[in-house]
Amino acid sequence: MINEEKFDYLIVGAGFAGATLAQCLASGLNKKILLIDKRPHIGGNAYDCFDEAGILIHKYGPHIFHTNCERIFNYLSRFTKWRPYEHKVLAYVDNKLVPIPINLTTLNQLYNLKMTSEDAEAFLESKAQPIEKIKTSADVVISKVGIDLYEKFFRGYTRKQWGLDPSKLDKTVTARVPTRTTNDDRYFNDSFQYMPLDGYTKLFENMLNHPNITIRLNINFKDIQSKIAYKKLVYTGPIDEYFNYCYGKLPYRSLNFVHKTMDMQTYQPVAVVNYPAENVEYTRITEYKYLTGQAHPKTSLTWEFPSAIGDPYYPIPRPENHELYKKYEALGNSTPNTIFIGRLGSYRYYNMDQVVGQALAAYNKILAEEKGISSIPELNAG
Ligand code: FAD
Ligand code: UDP
């Protein structure tokens, strides 16, 4: 039960957005925080736990930390040690396991060639279709690698993942995946690529271990909204839900996660194997021991099956959805003493580092307001 204490902030959602603001406000501005989550755990979608076999798994699918922002990396480094980890992904295409992002090895293996990087550049140039104004997720790929590679690697995967053809999705979605003509087979280009050494949940425990922070789990905001005294609200759940869908529902994509443990050392050669073919229902399989470095005689994996119904995991980037979000954003901006942040609160396809960056910026703004100055140049996390 929550007693009659008065809180400075009620923070809804104990994911990266909520936890970062809670930590900064509690330690930097000595605010009393009530942090709630409707789930039975902290960590939001980054939550990890040991399964029945004793293997550390990610309950909501694979989470790999990567960023180009040193300040965000340094901020999180206060709460965890890191395990250097460069993510590798293979795609099952034409009965072969080949690297994705498409690189020199992919092209040579797929087409039985022995190209150099220069040959590969010329090869892709000959396949690429010029598109004057790149708008959609189909345009991005076709203009770089042509139709054949687009169909093999992107069309089916995207149609499964989003329930939409790539031509109906904003260019930013497939633009997340680069194309290379070198042998670089890392999934991400970022300068910081790590996994939290003891897992994400431990990182969150360290962030939230502060006398000013009270955590209450299994509590839905709707059920306590009117029963609790607080001065300000930070909301990291879906913004349309907060406003009772007054302009209509914002579309989200969901996933069903099927977790399995196999009685073998390893199941697949890398952490993630993508299955772009449309006749395979799932999109990818993740084997956690590669991410965590855990030694165990068995191995645990997750299959991801995209779904229209279920928890809202992905905002769907396309112009009409952005337009609808803008209406909710305007409503949010005119709601006093309330901040909407995070992947769901700001309806943005954000990675973890971007959410932490957004929360640090929100804290910076609060700090500037409270100290009576118009802006503080550096993110000055408490
Ligand atoms: P969330 O983590 O979603 O937290 C929001 C919390 O609010 C949830 O715990 C929810 O239960 C709670 N909540 C919502 N409504 C209410 C309510 N009414 N009352 C109480 N509580 C409520 N990012 C990366 O950087 N690298 C990756 O490899 C990566 N992989 C991903 C894989 C998958 C399958 C998914 C879905 C996401 C992945 N992400 C990855 C993105 C990452 O999960 C998000 O950027 C990040 O977790 C968002 O944090 P958040 O705090 O905004 O939201
Ligand atoms: N994508 C694809 N084939 C792949 C990998 C990615 O078509 O093998 C597309 C797909 O639309 C996916 C998007 O690129 O949703 C972004 O991929 P990412 O791996 O970043 O997705 P996330 O990890 O966020 O689910």
Side-chain angles (χ1 to χ4, degrees), residues 11-19 36-39 41-47 60-66 87 161 176 188 200 204 219-222 235-238 241 253 255 257 284 304 311-314 341-345 348-356 358:
I11 301 186
V12 179
F16 268 111
I36 64 163
D37 204 295
K38 62 183 179 184
R39 288 172 169 167
H41 56 72
I42 56 172
N45 286 340
Y47 170 73
Y60 306 99
H63 279 71
I64 297 103
F65 183 78
H66 55 103
H87 193 42
Q161 171 73 8
R176 289 165 63 92
F188 305 113
Y200 288 97
F204 278 91
I219 292 186
N220 196 317
F221 173 66
K222 278 186 291 204
Y235 196 81
T236 75
E241 186 178 84
R253 194 70 176 156
L255 290 169
F257 301 103
R284 60 186 177 189
E304 288 174 53
D311 279 356
Y313 292 126
Y314 290 84
I341 56 163
R343 180 146 143 151
L344 303 171
R348 285 195 176 84
Y349 185 6
Y350 272 162
N351 293 323
M352 294 181 283
D353 64 320
Q354 294 170 302
V355 168
V356 172
Q358 187 193 32

Side-chain angles (χ1 to χ4, degrees), residues 62 89 91 100 137 153-159 161-162 169 173-177 187-188 255 274-276 284 304 314 343 349 351:
V89 181
I100 175 85
S137 268
F153 287 88
F154 286 90
R155 191 178 64 183
Y157 188 109
T158 301
R159 287 166 67 100
Q161 171 73 8
W162 299 93
L169 269 176
V173 176
T174 52
R176 289 165 63 92
V177 185
Y187 200 68
F188 305 113
L255 290 169
N274 286 356
Y275 291 82
R284 60 186 177 189
E304 288 174 53
Y314 290 84
R343 180 146 143 151
Y349 185 6
N351 293 323

